[in-house]
Amino acid sequence: YHAFTAREYLNNHIEAWEWWTTPPKDVAYEWTHPPVAKYGMVIGMLLFGENSTAWRLGSAIVGVISIYGIYLLVNALTKNKNIALFSAFLLSIKGLHIAQSRIAMNDMYMMVFFIFALNSAVKSRWKLAAILYGLALGSKWSALYGIIPLAYLYLHDLRPTTWNLRSTIYHVFFALRLILISVFIYIITFTPFILAGHTWAQWWELHRQMWYYHTHLVATHGYQSTPLQWIFDVRPVWYYVKYGSGVVANIYALGNPAILWFGLVALILQIKKIFVHPYTFIYLLYGIFTIPWIFSPRIMFFYHYLPSATFLSVIIALYLNNLSKKNALYYCAIALLALFIISPMLYGYSISQSYWDTLFKLLPSWK
């Protein structure tokens, strides 16, 4: 739906913006999310033509950049390159990150803008952080949860000894200005909507329709899942299949169990440090992108766990830093082996039916 709508943008079909229009048979206009990610797909198609490589290329590029962004973020937070390298390495083999970087959806766009917004905030470059956060919101509304970790960083950056009425007023207005910057950036991401001849009243109604869709959607799906299923990596999303002679190729949005399962262990074992920075910040990031989904009224899918799983990789890296180098490398080798085992599910390799029969017999909920 994202790629189809991006192609409609490219070809100046303004009805792709409009919730009231009827799309062609067997497709749908994707107006339920903000447009920034679809602009990335348009750029890919402008450069390389209307083909699947072109509309998927943007996700792949920002997926790689986000790994570098995690390295920069963790290094800035911990001043420890080993933890930063572990975080980036685990993120790169997390599985779900690979799957979402190879498909034309909006998740990786949101993640890369948000990660670099955090980077800017850690370095007290707050105006840049506000701009990047606005672009994250312009990719996917779930970035809204990220305002809480950003607020934590802002408050952590303050010096308690400087608090007085004057400084309080200054910081309140400065924070409001940052929010306005983000809102302004978000609004201008809809510039093509307005230039296509739509009114601001229609822009407002579009947002009302988006909100109604996400809060009133009544539907079921064979691959829907719940947050409890996400954290245990038990229900992936089936994206693709191609049958051959004695072989089958599948692609799933799936997590590396060696990372997601061990991540829960690392999270529990370090819980006593939750009130110590930067643990507080990382735990907050993990929690704020997980807990609200428990109360979501709409159907959910495993790819919604992408932000949480990203920061779970950092929690593991913090734990590995307390182990001996030998044991930490042993774990990384096990995680890499697990990635190799599930790689046919991520990359769409054509592989023997016996592989799939064995895998789904061991883990039937993955089928």
Side-chain angles (χ1 to χ4, degrees), residues 54-335:
W55 62 63
R56 292 163 60 208
L57 183 62
S59 289
I61 291 173
V62 298
V64 172
I65 293 173
S66 68
I67 295 170
Y68 179 58
I70 280 292
Y71 170 81
L72 294 177
L73 175 63
V74 176
N75 191 44
L77 282 169
T78 64
K79 304 297 188 291
N80 187 315
K81 288 187 176 181
N82 287 334
I83 300 176
L85 285 169
F86 276 132
S87 298
F89 172 72
L90 295 173
L91 183 58
S92 71
I93 65 169
K94 179 170 59 67
L96 185 57
H97 211 80
I98 294 171
Q100 294 308 116
S101 295
R102 300 181 70 249
I103 190 170
M105 291 176 66
N106 55 358
D107 302 88
M108 292 312 307
Y109 290 90
M110 188 278 281
M111 282 305 305
V112 75
F113 288 125
F114 182 62
I115 288 170
F116 278 92
L118 294 175
N119 266 296
S120 300
V122 168
K123 297 171 184 175
S124 297
R125 301 174 65 184
W126 283 103
K127 292 178 183 178
L128 179 58
I131 292 170
L132 291 168
Y133 181 63
L135 291 172
L137 276 176
S139 302
K140 193 169 186 178
W141 275 3
S142 57
L144 189 62
Y145 302 138
I147 198 170
I148 295 178
L150 284 168
Y152 166 85
L153 284 177
Y154 187 82
L155 293 172
H156 185 266
D157 200 34
L158 300 180
R159 299 291 181 268
T161 55
T162 65
W163 278 102
N164 53 49
L165 181 60
R166 183 177 179 180
S167 64
T168 299
I169 293 173
Y170 168 80
H171 286 297
V172 167
F173 277 95
F174 186 75
L176 288 173
R177 185 168 63 168
L178 294 175
I179 292 172
L180 289 175
I181 290 173
S182 294
V183 170
F184 174 73
I185 294 298
Y186 175 83
I187 291 173
I188 65 173
T189 65
F190 285 86
T191 299
F193 177 85
I194 298 298
L195 293 180
H198 300 102
T199 66
W200 286 108
Q202 289 174 320
W203 178 85
W204 182 257
E205 179 61 19
L206 172 63
H207 282 74
R208 198 184 73 82
Q209 292 290 333
M210 291 163 66
W211 174 259
Y212 188 88
Y213 172 85
H214 289 295
T215 56
H216 291 80
L217 176 63
V218 178
T220 59
H221 193 283
Y223 287 88
Q224 69 186 71
S225 55
T226 66
L228 185 61
Q229 290 173 307
W230 304 344
I231 67 174
F232 291 108
D233 196 18
V234 297
R235 192 56 175 163
V237 187
W238 192 22
Y239 281 166
Y240 169 87
V241 63
K242 182 179 180 181
Y243 298 102
S245 180
V247 296
V248 182
N250 286 301
I251 296 177
Y252 287 81
L254 174 72
N256 183 335
I259 292 178
L260 297 194
W261 294 346
F262 184 73
L264 296 178
V265 175
L267 187 149
I268 293 169
L269 292 177
Q270 298 177 105
I271 197 73
K272 61 184 178 182
K273 299 179 181 179
I274 196 170
F275 296 113
V276 179
H277 186 75
Y279 288 86
T280 306
F281 178 58
I282 301 301
Y283 272 70
L284 180 61
L285 283 165
Y286 176 79
I288 203 62
F289 282 105
T290 305
I291 295 171
W293 286 107
I294 297 173
F295 306 100
S296 175
R298 54 159 293 175
I299 63 170
M300 297 167 284
F301 297 93
F302 184 62
Y303 55 76
H304 291 137
Y305 194 54
L306 177 71
S308 302
T310 296
F311 299 114
L312 190 65
S313 301
V314 182
I315 291 173
I316 297 174
L318 290 166
Y319 182 75
L320 293 180
N321 190 59
N322 296 320
L323 302 180
S324 67
K325 183 177 180 181
K326 183 178 179 181
N327 287 336
L329 292 177
Y330 276 153
Y331 168 73
C332 289
I334 292 170

Side-chain angles (χ1 to χ4, degrees), residues 23-43:
K25 186 180 178 181
D26 298 327
V27 292
Y29 295 131
E30 204 299 293
W31 50 261
T32 64
H33 292 287
V36 169
K38 292 184 281 288
Y39 297 157
M41 298 170 205
V42 169
I43 292 171

